[in-house]
Amino acid sequence: MQKIAMLGSGFIGRFYAESIHGQRGRDRVVAIYARRDESAQKFAKDYGCDFWSTNMEEVIAHPDVNMVCIALPNNIHEEAVLLCAKHKKAVVSTKPLGRNGAEALRMMKAAEEAGIFAGYLEDLCYTPKFLKSLESVKNGSLGRIIWAKSREAHPGPHSEWFWDIEQAGGGCILDLGCHCIEISRNFIGKDIKPVEVMCWADTQVKPIDAEDHAIALVKYENGAIGQFEVSWTFRGGMDLRDEVMGTEGTIWINNFLRTGFEMFTTGQNAEGKGEDYVAEKAESNTGWLFPVGDEVNDLGYNHMFTDMFNAVENSSEPAETFYDGYIVNAVIDAAYKSAKTKLWEKVELPVWRGREGVTKPSNYTSYNEDYYLIKQEMTHDGRNKLILKHKITGKISEQDV
């Protein structure tokens, strides 16, 4: 049984608590820290916590707590991790791990030096669709992965601190790009080094200092490309989509807006209103709606916490660690730099634990001793056509087989 101190009583803390209490059954949130006493007391009442406080260290150090879950604004993550290291408490942290790579690296090192379990709560790398897709990729069904694209776009986050660049550390790149980068890393291979980033970012709609829309390419050492599209300006709900392209196949994933559950309501019910709740960041409760059957499960929270709890109990690493969070932050740093310089910018990784010196594989497939195969296809007139390149002359030709 995991006895958890939740740090943060807001939107994500409540999502986490729903999953923790619902998945394995035996795990409980026993203590809550919030910055406001009334928020802490309400959370404690809603989730049956035995202890609440506005003193973070008091909650972390509580003798009944054996794991700490960080669901706080980005600027407080490092303070919380250092207190967990001080009191030797296992810790799991929401994304992004830090506001930048240096901050994330300090957190990772503090946890490792203290010898405590440290898991990175990257829920979108635990959705059922993602896990099934990743299994197919690892089994080789798509061949060599050459492109992985991830998109997250919605009308903007729920809490005020996200919109404050000092507290958050950035805008939609930090908030949403962290998901997309880690999704692509999983598909391309976490042991493959991200080497440089080209990013466009702008503040198009919101009256804020940070970016509200961005697109970027992340180049990996083996030649693969990760791509992310993120926005706080998208209207119509929350758009979560991934695409993976390999030499032998393709995967398309739609996690949220099109789930196979569609509904229409005029809103003219007994109360004169539409649905009470449709889905996270849905912008309407009448007309055509796209509800989500089980948000906590479909967004990956259940599988994520099960992985974290099983890993800490088995003294093993979870699928997502503080090291992964640090790598993601380093890629984001390069994206922000590129958005300013308009150039490809190097990903700075003072600590790298993956493969070194990986080169781009050859793109030549031999057809026979004389030719490389470019393409084989069936045409509308029934021909089985080959397009070939001669190995010596380089001449391209076609023939029927």
Side-chain angles (χ1 to χ4, degrees), residues 1-65:
M1 175 182 181
Q2 296 303 314
K3 297 180 180 180
I4 297 152
M6 185 68 67
L7 308 184
S9 62
F11 177 84
I12 193 63
R14 287 177 172 271
F15 251 127
Y16 287 166
E18 295 288 338
S19 177
I20 290 166
H21 287 185
Q23 177 73 341
R24 301 201 313 173
R26 63 183 182 269
D27 309 297
R28 304 301 299 174
V29 178
V30 299
I32 173 67
Y33 159 78
R35 290 169 292 169
R36 294 184 294 272
D37 188 67
E38 60 272 21
S39 299
Q41 290 193 46
K42 186 177 188 310
F43 188 102
K45 180 181 178 182
D46 290 345
Y47 294 100
C49 300
D50 300 324
F51 180 75
W52 69 86
S53 176
T54 56
N55 182 307
M56 189 192 304
E57 184 166 10
E58 191 176 36
V59 171
I60 291 171
H62 195 282
D64 289 344
V65 168

Side-chain angles (χ1 to χ4, degrees), residues 285-349:
N285 64 349
T286 61
W288 276 108
L289 307 175
F290 307 99
V292 180
D294 184 350
E295 280 187 78
V296 170
N297 190 66
D298 291 348
L299 286 174
Y301 297 112
N302 287 345
H303 295 87
M304 177 178 71
F305 279 110
T306 297
D307 179 47
M308 294 294 161
F309 297 158
N310 288 343
V312 74
E313 290 165 10
N314 295 327
S315 298
S316 60
E317 281 199 342
E320 297 292 326
T321 67
F322 271 23
Y323 173 74
D324 294 309
Y326 146 70
I327 298 293
V328 168
N329 268 123
V331 174
I332 290 172
D333 286 352
Y336 278 123
K337 187 174 182 181
S338 174
K340 292 179 179 178
T341 65
K342 314 301 182 186
L343 301 171
W344 284 95
E345 293 291 349
K346 182 182 178 182
V347 179
E348 299 292 344
L349 291 170

Side-chain angles (χ1 to χ4, degrees), residues 195-349:
V195 291
E196 54 182 349
V197 181
M198 170 63 78
C199 180
W200 166 88
D202 197 4
T203 309
Q204 293 190 311
V205 176
K206 309 294 186 182
I208 57 173
D209 296 326
E211 77 290 347
D212 61 15
H213 197 172
I215 302 169
L217 298 176
V218 182
K219 189 183 297 183
Y220 287 78
E221 196 171 38
N222 67 348
I225 287 288
Q227 178 178 340
F228 69 74
E229 302 172 0
V230 293
S231 181
W232 282 348
T233 67
F234 176 78
R235 304 310 301 268
M238 185 159 68
D239 187 13
L240 300 176
R241 284 180 282 161
D242 305 322
E243 299 178 28
V244 192
M245 184 173 75
T247 55
E248 304 300 328
T250 302
I251 290 175
W252 295 340
I253 306 170
N254 194 327
N255 279 308
F256 219 73
L257 275 184
R258 294 295 185 273
T259 63
F261 184 174
E262 300 182 12
M263 169 184 172
F264 179 87
T265 175
T266 65
Q268 301 304 310
N269 54 12
E271 290 79 24
K273 62 180 183 179
E275 285 287 283
D276 288 334
Y277 180 79
V278 179
E280 181 184 341
K281 297 181 176 73
E283 291 199 282
S284 174
N285 64 349
T286 61
W288 276 108
L289 307 175
F290 307 99
V292 180
D294 184 350
E295 280 187 78
V296 170
N297 190 66
D298 291 348
L299 286 174
Y301 297 112
N302 287 345
H303 295 87
M304 177 178 71
F305 279 110
T306 297
D307 179 47
M308 294 294 161
F309 297 158
N310 288 343
V312 74
E313 290 165 10
N314 295 327
S315 298
S316 60
E317 281 199 342
E320 297 292 326
T321 67
F322 271 23
Y323 173 74
D324 294 309
Y326 146 70
I327 298 293
V328 168
N329 268 123
V331 174
I332 290 172
D333 286 352
Y336 278 123
K337 187 174 182 181
S338 174
K340 292 179 179 178
T341 65
K342 314 301 182 186
L343 301 171
W344 284 95
E345 293 291 349
K346 182 182 178 182
V347 179
E348 299 292 344
L349 291 170

Side-chain angles (χ1 to χ4, degrees), residues 124 147-152 176-177 179-181 183-184 187 226-230 240-243:
L124 294 186
W147 177 51
K149 171 185 172 183
S150 184
R151 168 181 170 86
E152 181 168 359
L176 309 181
H179 288 302
C180 301
I181 291 164
I183 287 168
S184 293
F187 286 132
Q227 178 178 340
F228 69 74
E229 302 172 0
V230 293
L240 300 176
R241 284 180 282 161
D242 305 322
E243 299 178 28

Side-chain angles (χ1 to χ4, degrees), residues 85-99:
K86 175 183 176 181
H87 292 281
K88 305 293 184 182
K89 297 292 178 80
V91 59
V92 291
S93 177
T94 193
K95 61 79 200 174
L97 184 57
R99 289 175 292 178

